[in-house]
Amino acid sequence: MTDSTESPDLQRRSGLTRLKEGTYGGFFAACAAITLLTTVAIIATLLSDAVMFFAEVPIREFLFSTSWSPNPRGGGQTFGIVALVIGTLTVTITAAFVALPVGTLTAIYLSEYATSNARSILKPLLEILAGIPTVVYGYFALVYVTPALKATLFPEMSTFNALSASLMVGIMTIPMVSSISEDAMSAVPDDLRQAGYGLGATKFEVSTGIVVPASISGIASSYILAVSRAIGETMIVVVAMGAQARMPTVGETVLGIPYINPADVLLESGMTITVAMVQIAGGDLTGGTIPYDAMFALGLTLFVVTFVMNVLSDIIAERYREEY
Amino acid sequence: MATDTDTGRVEGFGEVSRVRGIAFEYLSLGASVFGIFALAVLLVYVTIDAFDLANASPEWLLTYFLTLVVPFLGFCLYSARDRALTRRAVTVAGGGLVAVAVVFTLVETFVGQIPRLNWQLAYLFAVGIPLTGYLTYMGARGQPGSVGFGLVGRLIGGTAVGLALTVLFLVFDPRLWFLAYTLGVVPATLAYGYGYVREVPTAMTAVIPIGIVGTLGAVLLRPIVDTYPTTVFVYLWTLAIPVAVAGALVVAARGGRTTALAAGGVPLAVATAVGLGGQLAGLAVGGPNALVVLAVAGVPTAVYLHRVFDVGEGVIGLGLPVLLAVGALAGALVVETFGIPAPNPWVSETFLTEAPSRTASEAGLYPAIVGSVIIIAMVAVLSFVLGVATSVFLEEYTADSGVVGALTRLLQINIANLAAIPSVVYGLLGLGLFANLLGFGFGTAVTVSLTLSLLILPITIISAQEAIRSVPDDLRRGSDAMGATRWQTTKNIVLPEAFPGILTGTILALGRAIGETAPLIMVGAATTVFSPPSSLFSKFSAMPMQIYAWANFPQAEFRYGVVAAGVITLLVILIGMNGTAILLRNRAERGS
Amino acid sequence: MSNTPSSDTRSSESLITTDVETGSNDRITPSDRTAVAARDLNVYYGDEQAIDDVSIEIPEKRVTALIGPSGCGKSTFLRCINRMNDMIDVCRVDGDVEFGGKNVYDDDVDPVALRRKIGMVFQKPNPFPKSIRDNVAYGLKIQGFDGDVDARVEESLKSAALWDEVKDQLDSSGLDLSGGQQQRLCIARAIAADPEVVLMDEPTSALDPVAASKIEDLIDDLAEEYTVIIVTHNMQQAARISDRTAVFLTGGRLVEYDDTAKIFEDPEEQRVEDYITGKFG
């Protein structure tokens, strides 16, 4: 102990120590800033080339023209996104038919029925589904799923088709739905379940009548994220769906209402927004051409759509977090 | 009330129908395993194709089952020391055989032929592999089992790391590394050691400046100096010796000086002898690469052996590698002697060491594997540094309110959004920014690594944040109250505690990077290259790119053979990485 | 000046029904120097006032107890002394806290430098997940101490009455110790850096009675060298170990501050008497 009568030295410390502290703090802050810069760079990169694209191709044509042919042999490029949107929607909707019900049921099983032992085995196994490289899924779809479907259910299926690709996208997105939905279901307070049992409800009635409605915003948010993931999925569709931008034939038979025969889009090849981007990238990367810029216009479209969906999902998820 | 009359008595409560509930429970259980089951079936088929198991004769399968699998299962059961388990295992193996045979015959009779599957293979995949997996798990819980698997793991892991190191020197200049190591790493390590032993804080502070100055000096000297030792000596001096010294130090912390010298020295001597001797004698084995592999695999193995003998439990487990090697050799011998028809697997030595080819039987994945290893190494360094620094900033250096708080929330939301941006858009970022604007070139290692680092950065950050958040606040406050600065608390308390979690998260994120294909296509990575890259700016391919290229080949040999082999190689590397990550996590959880 | 063991001054007129020994208040002399002083201190958490206009002078090398019902601001006051409240974003401090005559809230004061002169022991033992040696040497390490670390570790462990129990296992983890040992390790850690003041925030509340009594004995010894300021909810404990006692009541007001014997035998304020005799709080 000091016996000196002077007041203790509490001054800010020497330059070197402060410099050291400042250097580390500054370094960490700079690294954190890189994440912000990444977003800025993505937007800037996409916008700068997309603007050049829209200088050449009017936005109207891009949004409403039904023909996509960026590199035709005989000339006469057309850049209409409609056919690509139809391809993307086909994949997304079909995948959603697989992932959403399966994912939701999985979440209910994990949160309400599974023993902790079963959960500790099932959850990592489900995570594997999301960890398999997508190019491998694409290969599976092309080489195993399509021939299997062709041999059994759909003999008229073409080698590259939307259905097998969509099934694989669906399987890949199951864990997204199940894990986020399960979190939401586990967050439902046990009081609510007890109240249900107290009224003589069965486990089934409690699960479907109380837990699911109570966690509905979490489930919805997981759906949006899964769909957003399916929209941006690239390699599965590139490998298994082919690269033909097709407009399906619209029939007008049912009471004069236009409709599209699902087999017409599902069993045939098609092209999604992501496939179109990959296709251009396979040919021309040096920049300055319209197809090159078109790639960024497509990227911008994809970015905006997925960004909006993520924000939406955030807002919805925020609501369920506030409820409990 | 009228309790004395019969009408008031409750005869029963009736029953509420549970049929719907039970049906629903099984439906949801079915949904839970649906995706897993579908993937399992696909993996079975790709395995059959990659190893040409459809052409494996029953005798071949039986031979290896008897020489390799049965001894291994016996080892596991011995290690588990559980009679009930042994009984169960035998029942499952025997009963499974009958069940699979019956079900399979019924299906083939009434439903139809299942392509490329016979009952032996069905038994292998439905009973054999799950049983082996389960028994491995149970065996690993016993002392001999954990020792045996620990040893096998170190041998395989060490070899893999050693090979990866030699691959890195295909693009990184060994001579520059030699200079940087001699001028930067060695003096910095010495300074650290001096500061640590003599407790001189200034020496420790000087470590980073010394390292930087030394490395810069190396870069300046590289064009001037033109005499260098041969590669073997460079590897010996810069890789084998430091690994051996580190191993010896680990042993020295536990045991005596002699054992420490032996643990470091013996593998070093063997590696040097093989490395130098092989080169001098002009043998195929040996040379600089053998030196690195032997040193990197040998030293940890020696350290592990020392520990096992030191503890003295389950020493018999050390026989596991011998058991496996003898089993494999015996199997090969039997197959050879009796002329048993063997399958011709696509995953073979040629496949792993040759360049791609238009002929399926000659096609190889080597340049793509090299490309993937180099990219992963660079992505690992970049995303680890950026990820840890960012998560430390977000968790330790920010406030919850005020301007800083708002900025933090913005960063956090931004990171969540980055994680959800499609990978193909990251590819456009790489193309526009790194390849075109900054001129790093199309599909070069630099462009690809930077793009993939940014792609997995949000995942790395989020998992690192979780790891840092799980460090109890008590410890931080304790350190703060001691008068530690923020950096001191972070360095001494938070990071050591969070490190296993951060490492696990980073490896899992790297697993994502190793399989990414779309961004590589967008930045112009080559689908096929015929020789491994020679510099960071030469044309690159990676395993998923090569798989993508091959999947487009129309020939069945490619579709069902070569690509399957590529997929299996990619998945094995992926499983190896993720398995390591999970082991690390479990170990850290058990430790704390 | 003598450091008589507390058992020498036994109070017969304690207001507390149990047989309680009050602190050795004979150590208080007018010539005592002030170690820590607060002047017109107000602390707010957002809109809520946690400390209401507190002024107090805490003597050097004495044990001063801060007592009061939970939520009365005694812990907040303790954390103002080494500026641990700085870590809480919404916390705002008005007024002065003087340490050795210097206001610690002055602009030129570095809270980190301040904390190196003031040790702190927490309610729940929080040894670092390091070896016992590294735990005790932690403060020395971060301050770049270049003397004999091992001697300092031994000395501190001896002062914390832990040396005999752990001298053969200095390299094993601090987490392997029992709760009471862990708390004494935390005390050793706090005093190894040679602080002038040791702050203790309910250091025995997470411990069993036997471990707690060892800590109490230790605190008594510590006062020979250090100024000890201890927050406790246990009035018997305050009476046993402290020389001075400050009573905080709801709203963060310091109601009475005096020699411990005086507070427990004949408090000025009726409210304090009510609190001490258990009529409220």
Side-chain angles (χ1 to χ4, degrees), chain A residues 112-154:
Chain A
E112 305 299 310
Y113 288 97
T115 61
S116 67
N117 231 340
R119 205 175 301 138
S120 71
I121 295 171
L122 276 175
K123 283 180 82 167
L125 283 179
L126 282 165
E127 289 308 314
I128 293 179
L129 291 180
I132 299 278
T134 54
V135 67
V136 172
Y137 273 118
Y139 166 73
F140 285 161
L142 176 68
V143 171
Y144 297 117
V145 178
T146 298
L149 290 175
K150 217 169 168 174
T152 51
L153 297 173
F154 307 107

Side-chain angles (χ1 to χ4, degrees), chain B residues 450-474:
Chain B
L450 287 172
T451 310
L452 289 182
S453 303
L454 291 186
L455 171 68
I456 65 164
L457 187 55
I459 318 174
T460 322
I461 294 173
I462 290 167
S463 65
Q465 275 188 289
E466 265 165 32
I468 290 178
R469 227 174 283 150
S470 70
V471 176
D473 230 19
D474 278 6

Side-chain angles (χ1 to χ4, degrees), chain C residues 152-169:
Chain C
R152 251 321 197 13
V153 169
E154 180 176 341
E155 189 189 320
S156 308
L157 283 169
K158 278 179 176 158
S159 305
L162 191 59
W163 174 250
D164 291 334
E165 291 159 62
V166 301
K167 64 180 176 218
D168 298 324
Q169 47 173 43

